[in-house]
Amino acid sequence: MVRAIVGANWGDEGKGKITDMLGESSDVVVRFQGGSNAGHTIINKYGKFALHLLPSGVFYNHTTSIIGNGVALNIPYLCSEIESLINRGVPKPNILVSDRAQIVMPYHILFDEYEEERLGKKSFGSTKSGIAPFYSDKYAKIGFQVSELFDEALLKEKVERVLEQKNILLEHMYHKPKLSVDDLYQTLLDYRNMVAPYVADTALFIHNALKEEKTILLEGQLGTLKDPDFGIYPMVTSSSTLAAYGAIGAGISPYEIKDIICVVKAYSSAVGAGEFVSEIFGDEADELRKRGGDAGEFGATTGRPRRMGWFDAVATRYGCCMQGATEVALTVLDVLGYLDELPVCVGYEIDGKVTKDFPVTAKLAKAKPVYEILPGWKCEIRGIKNYADLPENCRRYIEFIEREIETPITMISNGPAREEIIRR
Ligand code: GDP
């Protein structure tokens, strides 16, 4: 059985916690897209961790953690992340890296930086992890697959061929130092030695695991609104954030994905530029950010302050729909207990017309939020274990959101720890 955990919004919805929690009942946890450009914050018995590349299953002995073929693999980053877990007392995880995954090259990171520098004020707010140049090269067919590290003749020839092009860009477009073939080739041989213990045909591994009726968990990064096709293009990420892409990025049949858990945050937040209709500013935003603590303040990878907003039911309904959500985990609800009233964005007004359908970016830029105001519950809800014990206005908020997003809310997270969860 395959389950996917994905985000309905702009990312940072708390997928890490839900994956860590559901990792317990999974045999295999797979990252299928993205790279080390986003992070999950996980709090468990070993402490507090920000994982960027490793799947959230790494804390369990019984799980195999897979970096799928769809991931942008930064090899030194992977190794240092594994090492940092072991240094903090986590048992050595079982990790497999797809032999078809492609490698984030040192120049991808350079080009990411140089391009943002060149764009100046018009930059994308990239995390500068090399992700956009990486996926560009993958589809331009000049990327390096992990398997290619093991064929020295091929590797040498390809390094020469690719650097010829990269050096023209470095010299004439960015006016930066050129790269040497020998240095890059040597770096790739080092990468080979670092990654060799983990390399496997992971699609075959998953295929066999499914035959043995094992439970597979696909772990998404970011959320629907950062998807290159269905998100707020061009302020999106460079690989698909949708559960459907799990089939490709992990190498499994689409019909195997039976359960799609969409993680939805009880209010809105976004890191980086892009349209954000229900965004709030000033003291109101500062207060929410401060109350959000770890969940509110800074992106796990970027350390950038998050932009804050009220719950956006238009974006979230669309987010769940494009994910094909079968259920929703509503997170970070505990943070909202201080509010007298909770505005929920239930429509967008565009050119004088109100719509509940999420539009293309050009129209989104003109959208004004239409709010419905719900009463607050004015108390702490952490520690509550049963749905019926939540304050009435809190349940009203959950049930209102559930109707608006047209997806059952089966889990409510009322604190960052693994066990702080209310199941309905
Ligand atoms: P992800 O990228 O979707 O995994 O989300 P992040 O890990 O970047 O952000 C979620 C943040 O919210 C982390 O700091 C979590 O520890 C925290 N968090 C998750 N669920 C809850 C919750 O229910 N309540 C609170 N207060 N924090 C939570």
Side-chain angles (χ1 to χ4, degrees):
M1 205 272 273
V2 182
R3 284 185 291 190
I5 296 181
V6 286
N9 307 120
W10 297 264
D12 297 326
E13 297 95 346
K15 295 176 295 294
K17 171 191 158 159
I18 304 295
T19 313
D20 177 55
M21 206 182 84
L22 295 180
E24 190 155 25
S25 55
S26 305
D27 301 299
V28 184
V29 183
V30 193
R31 280 280 314 264
F32 60 88
Q33 46 91 218
S36 58
N37 54 330
H40 297 305
T41 311
I42 293 165
I43 301 171
N44 57 29
K45 65 179 177 184
Y46 300 107
K48 180 175 165 185
F49 297 86
L51 291 184
H52 302 284
L53 191 54
L54 286 173
S56 306
V58 287
F59 298 100
Y60 296 103
N61 281 326
H62 68 275
T63 60
T64 301
S65 296
I66 291 182
I67 307 279
N69 51 281
V71 172
L73 174 68
N74 181 324
I75 293 175
Y77 201 101
L78 174 77
C79 294
S80 70
E81 205 162 63
I82 296 171
E83 206 170 298
S84 74
L85 290 184
I86 294 168
N87 288 344
R88 290 182 56 196
V90 179
K92 193 172 193 298
N94 307 311
I95 293 166
L96 297 178
V97 172
S98 166
D99 53 4
R100 290 178 183 274
Q102 294 206 5
I103 303 159
V104 176
M105 304 291 276
Y107 53 74
H108 288 144
I109 297 165
L110 292 176
F111 279 110
D112 209 350
E113 270 173 36
Y114 296 162
E115 181 61 9
E116 290 283 287
E117 195 179 300
R118 190 184 72 84
L119 290 170
K121 276 207 180 98
K122 296 202 159 146
S123 77
F124 287 91
S126 162
T127 59
K128 300 187 185 128
S129 324
I131 304 300
F134 165 90
Y135 281 107
S136 306
D137 281 0
K138 177 173 177 177
Y139 295 108
K141 294 166 286 192
I142 52 169
F144 288 76
Q145 254 187 14
V146 165
S147 60
E148 292 171 343
L149 294 175
F150 298 87
D151 184 332
E152 291 183 9
L154 177 151
L155 190 64
K156 189 73 189 266
E157 180 279 322
K158 194 161 171 183
V159 167
E160 281 168 10
R161 179 160 46 88
V162 173
L163 271 197
E164 202 178 308
Q165 190 214 63
K166 297 297 172 196
N167 277 335
I168 293 172
L169 286 174
L170 284 170
E171 188 179 2
H172 299 289
M173 180 141 172
Y174 296 109
H175 313 293
K176 299 285 182 186
K178 291 202 278 185
L179 301 171
S180 114
V181 169
D182 289 341
D183 289 353
L184 183 61
Y185 178 66
Q186 191 51 52
T187 302
L188 292 179
L189 294 183
D190 295 344
Y191 282 9
R192 179 185 68 189
N193 297 339
M194 291 159 95
V195 80
Y198 309 108
V199 178
D201 180 344
T202 55
L204 180 65
F205 180 91
I206 294 171
H207 182 78
N208 288 334
L210 282 171
K211 268 197 211 160
E212 291 165 25
E213 304 201 348
K214 296 263 168 61
T215 304
I216 318 283
L217 191 60
L218 297 173
E219 178 180 22
Q221 178 216 37
L222 297 166
T224 308
L225 304 175
K226 293 282 188 181
D227 183 75
D229 285 82
F230 292 102
I232 51 172
Y233 190 87
M235 296 304 179
V236 294
T237 193
S238 305
S239 63
S240 176
T241 56
L242 302 184
Y245 192 73
I248 297 158
I252 55 176
S253 310
Y255 56 76
E256 296 283 2
I257 308 173
K258 302 290 186 233
D259 189 12
I260 298 173
I261 302 164
C262 228
V263 184
V264 168
K265 198 158 164 167
Y267 56 92
S268 300
S269 71
V271 180
E275 304 307 332
F276 183 1
V277 177
S278 65
E279 185 169 10
I280 54 175
F281 304 92
D283 292 347
E284 212 175 27
D286 289 342
E287 182 73 21
L288 184 54
R289 195 176 295 117
K290 197 175 80 206
R291 299 271 179 173
D294 277 357
E297 284 193 70
F298 302 105
T301 296
T302 58
R304 292 181 290 192
R306 292 192 179 126
R307 298 160 67 196
M308 310 306 270
W310 301 127
F311 187 85
D312 185 339
V314 177
T316 307
R317 184 168 68 105
Y318 170 80
C320 289
C321 171
M322 298 322 296
Q323 291 288 11
T326 52
E327 54 183 311
V328 159
L330 186 69
T331 60
V332 208
L333 189 63
D334 49 298
V335 161
L336 302 180
Y338 74 96
L339 290 161
D340 295 320
E341 288 181 329
L342 295 98
V344 174
C345 175
V346 293
Y348 290 171
E349 192 192 310
I350 301 169
D351 295 330
K353 275 199 196 130
V354 175
T355 178
K356 276 182 175 287
D357 296 325
F358 193 81
V360 293
T361 313
K363 286 189 179 159
L364 193 60
K366 297 195 272 180
K368 293 188 195 73
V370 177
Y371 288 116
E372 194 145 330
I373 312 288
L374 274 74
W377 48 92
K378 302 291 289 178
C379 66
E380 177 64 78
I381 59 161
R382 283 186 76 173
I384 295 178
K385 297 274 177 213
N386 298 312
Y387 187 69
D389 298 336
L390 286 171
E392 189 186 345
N393 282 345
C394 182
R395 280 182 279 131
R396 264 172 80 175
Y397 185 70
I398 296 165
E399 287 160 29
F400 182 84
I401 285 176
E402 188 173 48
R403 278 194 301 279
E404 287 291 321
I405 64 175
E406 297 174 3
T407 316
I409 297 174
T410 56
M411 286 175 261
I412 293 140
S413 172
N414 58 339
R418 204 184 255 180
E419 58 285 350
E420 290 179 292
I421 196 88
I422 299 170
R423 291 178 190 265
R424 281 171 87 202

